C-alpha cells in the first residue's frame, strides 16, 4: 500500500474504498494513535496530485527534517508578526469598509464566511511569500482562483461523480502555479542569490518560498510540483478554509452564548474568555472530520485494541472530542473554560497530536494562548457590536457529507455603538 514520493521516504496511498475502514472514536485511543511512532499517515481520498509528499503525508526522518525547516516560519514571535503585520491590518481595513458602507437602512452588514476567508487568504499569501496580494481585492481574486482547488481537495466528501471537480481543481492549481507561485519563487531565488553576506541573509523574507529558494529541504530541490503541493495543502487549503470556518464556528457559538447570558455579554470582548471560547469551539467543531493512519507494524493500544501490521484506521476527531469519558456528561455543550483532565488540551485533538500536530496552531491559538488570530478577530468584531443579521438567515452547506457543519453564508450586522466602546 505504499508508493515512493520525491524522496526515499514512502507515503501511503489511497485505499480502494475508504468507507470500509474502521473508525476509532475513543479520545484516548485517538490521541495514542496520533502519538504512536508506528502509526503513519496515508492518503485515503485520491488527492495525491494535491497532497502527495507534503509534510502532512510523509513520516520518519524526512518528516522531522521538513518540520524543522517549516518551523522557522513561526519561530520566536513569528506568529505574532504575521498577525500584527498582515492579518489584523486586513481585518481592520475590511471591518472599516463594512462599517462605512451601511445598507439602505443604515445598518452595516457583511457575510462572515466571505469576511473571514478573504482575511485568511491574505495571511496565507504572506506565509507563502506570494506577491501582489496586498489589498482586499487582491485577496478576493486569490480566493476565487483557489476555490476550485479547495473543492477538489474535499471532493471525497461530496456525493456523485467527483471527476469534473477534480479536473477543475487541477486546472486551477496549474493557473495558481503560473500566476502566483512561479513569479514569486523566481523573485525569492534572486533575493537569495543576492544575499552574499550573513547580514543580507538574515534580512531575507521569512516565508515558505524563501525557505524553498534556499534549498533548506533536499526534497523540494528541483521538484516544483512538490513545492506547489506544499503551498496548496498547508497554506491555501488548511490556512484559509480550515481557519476561516473555525472562526465562523467560534463566532456562532459566542453569539449563542451571549444571547443565552446577556448579563455576561461584556465577556465577549475579554481576551481570556475569548481564548477559552475559541478552544471550546475548535473542540466541538473540528473542520477535518477524520484523520487516517496505517499501522507500520502490529500495535496493541493501552485500551487493549489490537491493530495488525498494514491495518488502516480512521480517527473520528469529532467523536473523540466529545468523548464523555474525558470531557464529562456535558461533552456536547459549549462551556468556555470547562475543566479538563491533566494532559488534555482544551481543543482536544482538533489539531492532531504528537509529531504531526498542525504547525500552524500558534497562529490560531497564539503563543501565549490568548493572542491568537481568532481571539483578536473576534474581539474586533464584538467591539464593533457584531450580531446575527436579523433579516437574513445563515445558510448551511449540505453537499459535503460528514463536513456538513459548514456554512455557505453567515450574514452578520453591526450595531452603531458597538460593545465595550
Amino acid at each position: 500500500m505504499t508508493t515512493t514520493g520525491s524522496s526515499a521516504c514512502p507515503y501511503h496511498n489511497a485505499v480502494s474504498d475508504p468507507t470500509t475502514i474502521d473508525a476509532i472514536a475513543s479520545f484516548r485511543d485517538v490521541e495514542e494513535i496520533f502519538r504512536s511512532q508506528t502509526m503513519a499517515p496515508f492518503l485515503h481520498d485520491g488527492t495525491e496530485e494535491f497532497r502527495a509528499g507534503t509534510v502532512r503525508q510523509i513520516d520518519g526522518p524526512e518528516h522531522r527534517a521538513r518540520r524543522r525547516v517549516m518551523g522557522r516560519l513561526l519561530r520566536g514571535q513569528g506568529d505574532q508578526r504575521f498577525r500584527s503585520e498582515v492579518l489584523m491590518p486586513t481585518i481592520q481595513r475590511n471591518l472599516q469598509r463594512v462599517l462605512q458602507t451601511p445598507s439602505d437602512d443604515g445598518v452595516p452588514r457583511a457575510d462572515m464566511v466571505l469576511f473571514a476567508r478573504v482575511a485568511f487568504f491574505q495571511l496565507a499569501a504572506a506565509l507563502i511569500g506570494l506577491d501582489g496580494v496586498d489589498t482586499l481585492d487582491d485577496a478576493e481574486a486569490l480566493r476565487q482562483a483557489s476555490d476550485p482547488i479547495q473543492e477538489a481537495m474535499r471532493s471525497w466528501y461530496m456525493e456523485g461523480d467527483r471527476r469534473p471537480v477534480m479536473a477543475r481543481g487541477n486546472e486551477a492549481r496549474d493557473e495558481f502555479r503560473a500566476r502566483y507561485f512561479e513569479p514569486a519563487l523566481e523573485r525569492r531565488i534572486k533575493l537569495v542569490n543576492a544575499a552574499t553576506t550573513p547580514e543580507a541573509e538574515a534580512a531575507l523574507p521569512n516565508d515558505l518560498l524563501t525557505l524553498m529558494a534556499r534549498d533548506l529541504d533536499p526534497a523540494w530541490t528541483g521538484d516544483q510540483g512538490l513545492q506547489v503541493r506544499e503551498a496548496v495543502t498547508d497554506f491555501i487549503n488548511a490556512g484559509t478554509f480550515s481557519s476561516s470556518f473555525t472562526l465562523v464556528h467560534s463566532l456562532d457559538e459566542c453569539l449563542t452564548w451571549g444571547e443565552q447570558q446577556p448579563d455576561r455579554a461584556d465577556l465577549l470582548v475579554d481576551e481570556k474568555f475569548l481564548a477559552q471560547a475559541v478552544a471550546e469551539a475548535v473542540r466541538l467543531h473540528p473542520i477535518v472530520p477524520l484523520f487516517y493512519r496505517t499501522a507500520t507494524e502490529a500495535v496493541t493500544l493501552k485500551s487493549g485494541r489490537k491493530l495488525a501490521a498494514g491495518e488502516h484506521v480512521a480517527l473520528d476527531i469529532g467523536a473523540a472530542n466529545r468523548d464523555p469519558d474525558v470531557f464529562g456528561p456535558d461533552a456536547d455543550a459549549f462551556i468556555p473554560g470547562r475543566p479538563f483532565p491533566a494532559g488534555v488540551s482544551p481543543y482536544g485533538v482538533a489539531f492532531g497530536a504528537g509529531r504531526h500536530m498542525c504547525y500552524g496552531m500558534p497562529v490560531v491559538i497564539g503563543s501565549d494562548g490568548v493572542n491568537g488570530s481568532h481571539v483578536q478577530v473576534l474581539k474586533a468584531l464584538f467591539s464593533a457590536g457584531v450580531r446575527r443579521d436579523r433579516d437574513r438567515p445563515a445558510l448551511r452547506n449540505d453537499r459535503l457529507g460528514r463536513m456538513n457543519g459548514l456554512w455557505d453564508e453567515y450574514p452578520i450586522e453591526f450595531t452603531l455603538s458597538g460593545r465595550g466602546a
Side-chain angles (χ1 to χ4, degrees):
M1 293 304 301
T2 62
T3 185
T4 302
S6 59
S7 69
C9 181
Y11 58 83
H12 296 266
N13 256 343
V15 296
S16 57
D17 185 6
T19 63
T20 64
I21 298 174
D22 285 343
I24 295 180
S26 160
F27 180 88
R28 296 298 185 186
D29 282 353
V30 167
E31 185 180 45
E32 183 178 354
I33 289 173
F34 267 132
R35 297 183 182 280
S36 173
Q37 296 295 319
T38 58
M39 300 297 298
F42 75 96
L43 282 169
H44 70 283
D45 59 1
T47 57
E48 289 88 346
E49 54 263 70
F50 299 106
R51 291 188 170 97
T54 62
V55 69
R56 292 193 176 200
Q57 298 303 323
I58 57 179
D59 207 23
E62 185 183 23
H63 174 260
R64 290 194 295 273
R66 194 171 307 165
R67 283 282 299 221
R68 284 196 296 270
V69 170
M70 297 178 72
R72 298 183 181 207
L73 295 175
L74 303 177
R75 186 172 298 165
Q77 297 298 314
D79 60 305
Q80 176 62 32
R81 180 176 66 83
F82 280 111
R83 274 192 301 275
S84 62
E85 296 180 8
V86 181
L87 179 64
M88 291 315 298
T90 300
I91 290 293
Q92 293 297 341
R93 286 195 301 270
N94 201 354
L95 183 56
Q96 286 304 309
R97 176 185 288 187
V98 172
L99 297 178
Q100 293 170 6
T101 55
S103 303
D104 292 341
D105 61 359
V107 177
R109 290 184 169 88
D111 172 17
M112 187 60 196
V113 173
L114 184 61
F115 185 98
R117 293 196 69 197
V118 168
F120 281 108
F121 262 100
Q122 206 150 26
L123 179 62
L127 285 165
I128 297 171
L130 303 180
D131 301 312
V133 191
D134 302 318
T135 69
L136 294 173
D137 290 339
D138 295 333
E140 171 61 7
L142 176 60
R143 184 195 69 80
Q144 292 183 12
S146 302
D147 265 355
I149 300 174
Q150 296 185 316
E151 290 179 6
M153 293 181 71
R154 56 184 185 266
S155 62
W156 181 72
Y157 297 100
M158 299 177 180
E159 296 181 358
D161 186 359
R162 67 185 293 197
R163 288 175 294 181
V165 178
M166 292 292 289
R168 288 193 296 270
N170 281 314
E171 181 179 352
R173 180 205 55 210
D174 293 340
E175 292 176 358
F176 166 81
R177 179 175 183 166
R179 178 179 175 183
Y180 292 101
F181 190 90
E182 290 179 343
L185 179 59
E186 183 177 349
R187 282 189 281 272
R188 292 299 186 270
I189 291 173
K190 290 180 180 179
L191 286 175
V192 169
N193 290 339
T196 56
T197 66
E199 293 77 14
E201 185 172 327
L204 287 170
N206 182 32
D207 53 47
L208 178 67
L209 289 178
T210 300
L211 299 180
M212 292 175 172
R214 294 174 66 186
D215 289 331
L216 295 180
D217 189 306
W220 287 335
T221 304
D223 189 348
Q224 194 179 93
L226 174 58
Q227 294 174 341
V228 171
R229 293 195 297 275
E230 203 81 76
V232 163
T233 298
D234 290 309
F235 296 88
I236 293 298
N237 188 57
T240 61
F241 177 79
S242 298
S243 294
S244 60
F245 280 105
T246 297
L247 180 60
V248 179
H249 278 303
S250 299
L251 176 64
D252 181 66
E253 291 284 9
C254 284
L255 286 171
T256 300
W257 183 91
E259 292 161 0
Q260 294 171 347
Q261 305 189 62
D263 59 324
R264 303 179 65 197
D266 285 348
L267 285 175
L268 293 173
V269 292
D270 180 83
E271 292 185 357
K272 181 177 179 181
F273 174 82
L274 288 174
Q276 294 172 338
V278 168
E280 183 74 338
V282 170
R283 179 185 71 84
L284 291 171
H285 306 286
I287 298 301
V288 180
L290 300 170
F291 283 80
Y292 290 81
R293 293 293 185 266
T294 187
T296 59
E297 60 185 61
V299 176
T300 300
L301 303 179
K302 293 177 182 178
S303 64
R305 176 161 184 163
K306 297 181 181 298
L307 302 174
E311 183 175 351
H312 302 302
V313 293
L315 308 183
D316 191 329
I317 305 304
N321 277 355
R322 295 170 182 245
D323 187 340
D325 290 339
V326 175
F327 301 103
D330 58 358
D332 290 337
F334 177 75
I335 305 176
R338 70 162 59 239
F340 292 91
V344 174
S345 297
Y347 37 80
V349 286
F351 294 104
R355 66 195 186 281
H356 280 280
M357 176 175 278
C358 176
Y359 59 82
M361 185 182 69
V363 175
V364 176
I365 301 300
S367 55
D368 63 359
V370 298
N371 66 354
S373 59
H374 287 37
V375 167
Q376 299 306 313
V377 175
L378 288 174
K379 183 179 180 180
L381 293 173
F382 280 111
S383 295
V386 68
R387 64 189 180 193
R388 305 181 207 274
D389 193 307
R390 293 165 295 177
D391 299 323
R392 297 182 299 158
L395 299 178
R396 292 277 188 174
N397 185 313
D398 61 359
R399 305 180 302 277
L400 292 175
R402 291 184 65 97
M403 297 184 76
N404 277 347
L406 308 181
W407 287 273
D408 282 331
E409 297 178 14
Y410 194 99
I412 55 174
E413 61 183 33
F414 297 87
T415 63
L416 295 179
S417 60
R419 187 190 304 277

